[in-house]
Amino acid sequence: MSLTGPRSQRTLVLALLSVASFAVVFNNLIITPILPEISEDFGVRVAVAGLLVTAYSVAGGVAAVFSGPFIDRVGRKPVVVAGMATLTVATVLSALAPGFVPLLAARALAGLGVACLTPAVFAAVGDLFSYEERGRAMSWVISANTSASIFGVPAGAVVSGVLSWRWTFVALACLLVVFTWLLFRRLPPDAPREAGASGNGMEVVPRVLRDWATTAALVSNYLSTSYWFVFATYMGAYFHDEFGVAKWALGGLTMTMGLGVLAGSNAGGRLADRVGKRPVILWTSAMCAVFIALTTTAAGAMAMGLGFLFLFAVSGGARFASSQAMMTEMSPAYRGTVMALNAAGQQFGIVTGSLVGGLALEVGGYTALGPTAAGLALVSMVMYGLFVQEEGMAGRRRELAPE
């Protein structure tokens, strides 16, 4: 089903899905600026407090693998609303947590909510917007989650600094209550599904993975997240140690990347609708490789390093919008399952990227980070170039129809 109603209805639906995406990223990143205060409040080391991020990511990554068939069977809207409601409850529990272990459990619960919410949102974009306009629609959703890192997280940090970290969660919970109500009331219901169109359970996952093009696209996207975090994990340390950037100013690096992704996703999504998603994915993957390699090997001054970093983020944003749009059409009968597997791959890509980056740093120092990330970017590009085609995407509805 694609939306064919008035422009105002289409804008409303896109805004609602963007709101859900914003909430996910805000909830994910809000721990970063308040982690020191949580550590001090509960009397645990910062390294131990970092388990809050691990619990969230691991729970989300593992649960996402199992959420896909559920999303396809139940429908997008019920899962989006349920995921947002779970995120709301988890955030309230986080604000009220009497100790570190209950807070850890609350963050794991938030990861479970996101495991359903994220793939359901992207699957809904695929359902409601035609493939020819999906790049633009996806760019709006990605812009919303990027805005969370640019504007939402700093605002949460201010609340924590003025009041406390608990009030940051209270403020976020209030927003989530409003978002849940809006999604429940205004998000269009799912279109009726054909009998058997969603499969019966986890057997759908191997059925999807038997399609080599879908599997290759999933692996390519996993690698794209990995190469991003090869550098992003150690970005602050690199600019601090190599260029003397003050610790208080390191937040500007995240904003630089966020603005780059914001610009790239909007330009890339629209360009992908005009010239095709696959060409944009291939070219921007190559550009990512070039600019991230230059960031750590050819930046003789901080301004040059920031310039290369911004161009890397622009390229990455364009690739992300295009690849998400194309991913929704790889196995349309199992769109929820595909997007859930894609979300799981992104979570595990974060872990892989940080580990590979750490190894590169140990072996070759900061200079090795860029070329290592570039190598993964080129492998990601080759995976798409050799095994994923865009021609005849509509025909995949018939070829991959339920057995």
Side-chain angles (χ1 to χ4, degrees), residues 77-306:
K77 178 176 179 177
V79 177
V80 168
V81 174
M84 186 66 77
T86 301
L87 199 58
T88 303
V89 171
T91 304
V92 172
L93 292 176
S94 296
L96 300 176
F100 181 73
V101 173
L103 179 58
L104 195 66
R107 293 305 295 166
L109 180 62
L112 295 179
V114 169
C116 293
L117 184 57
T118 300
V121 165
F122 285 121
V125 173
D127 291 344
L128 298 173
F129 294 88
S130 69
Y131 186 66
E132 291 73 23
E133 62 178 350
R134 203 170 297 162
R136 175 182 174 277
M138 202 67 74
S139 72
W140 278 102
V141 175
I142 295 170
S143 294
N145 64 41
T146 305
S147 297
S149 65
I150 299 174
F151 306 111
V153 174
V158 170
V159 173
S160 176
V162 174
L163 299 173
S164 77
W165 64 268
R166 293 184 184 277
W167 280 102
T168 299
F169 281 120
V170 169
L172 177 57
C174 292
L175 285 176
L176 293 176
V177 168
V178 175
F179 293 166
T180 303
W181 182 83
L182 286 173
L183 289 166
F184 175 74
R185 294 285 299 177
R186 305 302 298 272
L187 192 65
D190 294 271
R193 295 184 175 275
E194 298 178 2
S198 59
N200 297 314
M202 289 303 296
E203 77 277 2
V204 170
V205 173
R207 190 179 301 171
V208 166
L209 295 178
R210 282 199 298 268
D211 179 67
W212 179 241
T214 301
T215 299
L218 287 169
V219 172
S220 179
N221 289 346
Y222 156 76
L223 290 172
S224 74
T225 304
S226 298
Y227 71 68
W228 184 274
F229 280 91
V230 163
F231 181 73
T233 304
Y234 305 98
M235 174 177 63
Y238 168 69
F239 276 91
H240 174 69
D241 293 344
E242 295 294 311
F243 300 113
V245 177
K247 292 181 179 179
W248 63 266
L250 293 177
L253 299 175
T254 302
M255 183 170 291
T256 297
M257 293 189 78
L259 291 172
V261 171
L262 189 65
S265 62
N266 276 278
R270 287 165 171 76
L271 181 63
D273 286 342
R274 295 177 56 187
V275 305
K277 280 69 171 176
R278 183 174 177 271
V280 174
I281 293 169
L282 295 178
W283 280 106
T284 53
S285 295
M287 292 168 64
C288 281
V290 170
F291 291 126
I292 195 57
L294 291 174
T295 301
T296 65
T297 61
M302 184 182 68
M304 188 178 297
L306 288 174

